[in-house]
Each structure stands twice: as C-alpha cells, then as structure tokens.
Amino acid sequence: MITYIRTISRQRAAWALLAASAFAFELCGLFFQHVMGLFPCVMCVYERLAFIGILVAALVALIAPQKPWLRWPALLLWGYSAFRGLQLSLQHVDYQLNPSPFNTCSFFAEFPSWMPLDKWIPWMFYPTGDCSERQWAFLGWEMPQWLVLIFACYLAVALIIMVGNLAKGRCCQ
C-alpha cells in the first residue's frame, strides 16, 4: 500500500487530478457569484484562496513530481491550504449556525498591503455578502458545510500521501 501511495504521488496524472478538482471548485464559486447572483462574504473569499493554494501546489508538483525538492513543497502547500480551508469553513459554519452581533465576520477582506487582491481582482476577491446569511443549500447542507467536507477530504488525502512518502519499511525503498 505504501508503495502504491508513493507511486501515485510521483505521477503527473494524480497532480493533474488535484489541480483539476481545485480549479473546478474555484469555477463553482465564480458560477455561484456571477451566474446565480450570490454574494461572497469575507470567509468565502478566504476559502477561495485556500482552493487557489491547493491549485498552485498541484501546478508546482506537475513540473516534476518525481523530484522530491518540488514534490515536498507542493505536498506541504497542499496540506497547509487544506488545513486553513478547513479552519475557515468551520468558522464560517459557526457564523451561520450561531448568528449574533458578537459572532460575525469582517465586512472587508484583510489582505497584506503588498498584495491587495480585493483591489487587484475585485470580481473574484471583493466581499459583498454577510457571513451569517444563508444563500444556498444542497441536500440540507449550506455551502460552508459542504466546504468543511471538501477541505477535510483534501486534508486527509494530503496527510495520507505525506505519510506514505515518509514511511520506511521493507516494502519500500
């Protein structure tokens, strides 16, 4: 099993699948915003960045997944982005399930001054919604609840791949 995990992490097809999935989720967010007319909140914008982090990680590894000096930074960025996405979506769920004047997100994105994405790419990163507002549901779950599941899956797979690449034993060289 460990050999299989190592083999997968060294193949471009696996990294291309990761990139395609992150890109598809990014397109879904833009579809919800620009076609369905939903208003992204600050947490939505930050969650988009987590997907972009996963996408960038996959693109880095696609260069040469056999090279550990490219694969490991990609794995770490993937894991970090999935972890932060999970944290953000859990907090977003809390805003929706426990709304109060004391439990709310900011109205403005807080990007560093050297990278004001909300000013550079406002159609993607400018928040116009309220974090506690429920705008969309599918099978009884709100969008942030689905994002918890998605980011948890991304994180679990990233951790399995990392452990598989770190594990040593007689089955693996």
Side-chain angles (χ1 to χ4, degrees):
M1 184 64 163
I2 292 173
T3 305
Y4 178 70
I5 292 171
R6 284 185 183 184
T7 303
I8 284 179
S9 70
R10 291 182 170 104
Q11 294 178 350
R12 281 198 168 100
W15 291 100
L17 180 62
L18 179 67
S21 69
F23 186 69
F25 284 125
E26 201 65 54
L27 287 178
C28 284
L30 293 172
F31 176 83
F32 284 124
Q33 178 181 353
H34 295 291
V35 176
M36 293 180 63
L38 304 182
F39 300 108
C41 65
V42 169
M43 298 305 287
C44 298
V45 167
Y46 294 155
E47 290 156 354
R48 282 182 182 177
L49 278 176
F51 280 118
I52 289 173
I54 294 168
L55 175 62
V56 168
L59 294 176
V60 166
L62 268 172
I63 296 169
Q66 311 82 0
K67 307 285 185 202
W69 56 272
L70 278 174
R71 186 177 62 252
W72 273 103
L75 281 169
L76 293 173
L77 178 58
W78 173 14
Y80 175 75
S81 297
F83 176 74
R84 287 294 293 146
L86 181 59
Q87 278 184 320
L88 291 163
S89 55
L90 284 169
Q91 187 177 8
H92 196 171
V93 167
D94 183 50
Y95 290 148
Q96 284 195 338
L97 297 181
N98 303 305
S100 85
F102 306 107
N103 188 27
T104 185
C105 63
S106 172
F107 292 109
F108 302 102
E110 297 172 12
F111 292 114
S113 61
W114 52 270
M115 192 173 69
L117 293 175
D118 55 336
K119 291 175 182 47
W120 290 350
I121 314 170
W123 57 270
M124 187 170 189
F125 294 113
Y126 188 77
T128 55
D130 178 16
C131 292
S132 61
E133 184 180 351
R134 296 177 174 198
Q135 300 182 58
W136 179 87
F138 179 68
L139 297 176
W141 278 17
E142 303 290 327
M143 193 176 306
Q145 293 169 315
W146 283 106
L147 290 176
V148 168
L149 176 65
I150 292 165
F151 282 120
C153 290
Y154 271 134
L155 182 58
V157 172
L159 291 175
I160 289 168
I161 298 293
M162 284 182 212
V163 168
N165 274 271
L166 286 174
K168 295 191 191 260
R170 62 185 168 98
C171 69
C172 313
Q173 264 78 336

